[in-house]
Amino acid sequence: MAARNRPRAGPMKDDSADAHEERNMWNQIVNDLKRLKAIQTRATEVSKSIVEMEGGMAEPPTLRQIDELDELYREGVKLAEEEQKILNEEPNDVIKNVGILTALRTASEIEPRNNSQSKSRNPKRQKLDTDGTVDSPGPSPGASIAAAKAKAGAVRAGSVPIVKEPRESKEPVVKAEEGSEGVKGPSAEKAGKFFIGAEVAYRLAKAKEDPQWIQCEIISIDTAGNKKRYEVQDPEPDDNGQPGQIYKASAGALIAIPSSETPLPDYVVGKQVLARYPETTTFYRAIVTNVKKDVYRLKFEDDNENEMEVSRRFVLDLTAK
């Protein structure tokens, strides 16, 4: 996992050529489509269960039957909402990203590349763009990506609201953290936060003395036996562009990453947390130094006293039950 290690002397630079950027975007689209397939498979199962249950209901139906049917309907609605978010909303927005990639490919075929001026490829693998609200100190994307996004954004400007930069709060948050209960291990499992498609931080089994946590997605759940077993997949493709590695894990090795729609915990200045380092998919220990509307300002361990801004949903509580 050496390729995941963050640079200790400062943020990474974006030296990637256009072709590398296009490949990263393609890999993101492929991963999002795989997630859509898993959601649609489950939605089909739920729909079939609803039809079977309604056909076999007693007259009048029992309270248990009503509760089970209600639970299935709620799950079906939740799956439909997740599907729409992946297709039409940031940070995934598959439909928009396909349009961007098409524009990039068209431009690259029309305008020949100037190989003498191309930049060397950065060997450090950067994170997939899974959250558009991260305000990291890294540089902005290349001109070709920016131009394509501007073109795609112009087509949908009538339906996309303008997002203003978050204003820094004048005073740090001083209340105790709320919303961090039931995000880790068995407690999160009982709270129903580990489901197919859920984003989690996974503790690598080989790193016991100095645990390393990486961002993953739950792709299957084995309910056989006394304890559930989860298969989680690294969303970042390998150096050959192949899908990320799959790991088997118990609930004790997982921490739920909250979605942007759920209440996010408020951490006080000085709180020790586990946070995703900017431009990577790896989590490290850090200390909260300041609080803004959508981000925390953090000081990571062994990082030369540098401070970074990280989206609130990628800042996790290691001490939560």
Side-chain angles (χ1 to χ4, degrees):
M1 302 301 293
R4 286 183 166 276
N5 291 340
R6 68 178 188 264
R8 298 289 179 171
M12 292 184 291
K13 295 182 179 179
D14 187 4
D15 322 356
S16 302
D18 288 348
H20 184 57
E21 293 175 331
E22 292 173 17
R23 189 181 70 177
N24 282 346
M25 179 168 286
W26 169 250
N27 288 330
Q28 179 182 342
I29 292 171
V30 170
N31 286 328
D32 287 337
L33 291 176
K34 288 180 179 178
R35 185 178 171 190
L36 273 175
K37 182 179 179 181
I39 291 174
Q40 290 171 351
T41 299
R42 178 55 186 163
T44 300
E45 295 172 355
V46 170
S47 178
K48 183 178 179 181
S49 298
I50 289 174
V51 172
E52 292 176 351
M53 181 169 290
E54 289 180 340
M57 271 190 170
E59 191 63 43
T62 64
L63 288 177
R64 180 178 178 181
Q65 288 177 324
I66 293 174
D67 289 341
E68 290 176 350
L69 189 61
D70 178 73
E71 184 176 349
L72 286 172
Y73 272 116
R74 289 179 183 275
E75 183 179 0
V77 171
K78 184 176 181 180
L79 290 169
E81 291 174 346
E82 289 177 0
E83 183 180 25
Q84 286 301 310
K85 288 175 185 176
I86 294 173
L87 286 172
N88 299 304
E89 297 182 14
E90 295 285 354
N92 305 100
D93 208 344
V94 171
I95 295 176
K96 178 180 176 181
N97 286 343
V98 168
I100 292 173
L101 186 59
T102 301
L104 288 172
R105 294 305 305 150
T106 302
S108 65
E109 291 172 2
I110 295 176
E111 298 180 8
R113 297 180 183 275
N114 187 345
N115 294 326
S116 63
Q117 297 179 353
S118 62
K119 298 180 180 179
S120 61
R121 177 181 175 183
N122 189 336
K124 298 288 185 180
R125 289 191 297 162
Q126 298 184 354
K127 75 174 182 65
L128 295 178
D129 187 10
T130 56
D131 186 65
T133 61
V134 176
D135 186 10
S136 71
S140 60
S144 60
I145 291 288
K149 286 188 175 181
K151 181 178 179 181
V155 177
R156 301 175 58 185
S159 59
V160 179
I162 298 176
V163 180
K164 296 183 179 180
E165 290 293 328
R167 295 183 179 178
E168 183 174 356
S169 57
K170 295 182 179 179
E171 298 181 0
V173 175
V174 295
K175 65 179 181 179
E177 50 265 29
E178 299 175 354
S180 61
E181 301 85 353
V183 298
K184 183 180 178 184
S187 297
E189 185 176 68
K190 291 179 181 178
K193 297 189 177 181
F194 295 156
F195 52 88
I196 294 177
E199 291 180 291
V200 294
Y202 164 63
R203 186 183 67 234
L204 292 173
K206 295 181 180 179
K208 294 182 178 179
E209 295 182 359
D210 185 16
Q212 186 176 28
W213 297 80
I214 62 175
Q215 182 179 345
C216 285
E217 179 181 310
I218 297 175
I219 59 173
S220 71
I221 303 174
D222 183 3
T223 57
N226 296 330
K227 293 184 178 180
K228 292 182 179 180
R229 296 288 296 178
Y230 300 87
E231 280 194 347
V232 299
Q233 185 172 29
D234 185 346
E236 183 176 346
D238 62 22
D239 292 333
N240 297 321
Q242 298 299 314
Q245 186 172 348
I246 296 175
Y247 305 90
K248 293 184 181 296
S250 63
L254 304 177
I255 300 177
I257 297 176
S259 68
S260 56
E261 289 77 23
T262 60
L264 299 175
D266 291 324
Y267 301 129
V268 297
V269 172
K271 170 74 174 178
Q272 292 188 347
V273 295
L274 186 71
R276 193 181 74 181
Y277 195 87
E279 304 303 327
T280 75
T281 53
T282 307
F283 288 77
Y284 296 92
R285 294 177 182 268
I287 295 177
V288 177
T289 60
N290 201 355
V291 183
K292 295 184 179 181
K293 180 180 178 182
D294 298 318
V295 298
Y296 284 107
R297 192 162 185 83
L298 307 174
K299 186 181 293 184
F300 285 88
E301 284 186 352
D302 305 324
D303 200 32
N304 299 329
E305 299 299 312
N306 293 322
E307 293 189 359
M308 303 284 185
E309 290 185 351
V310 179
S311 172
R312 290 176 61 130
R313 78 184 194 93
F314 292 112
V315 180
L316 311 176
D317 188 359
L318 267 175
T319 63
K321 299 299 183 181

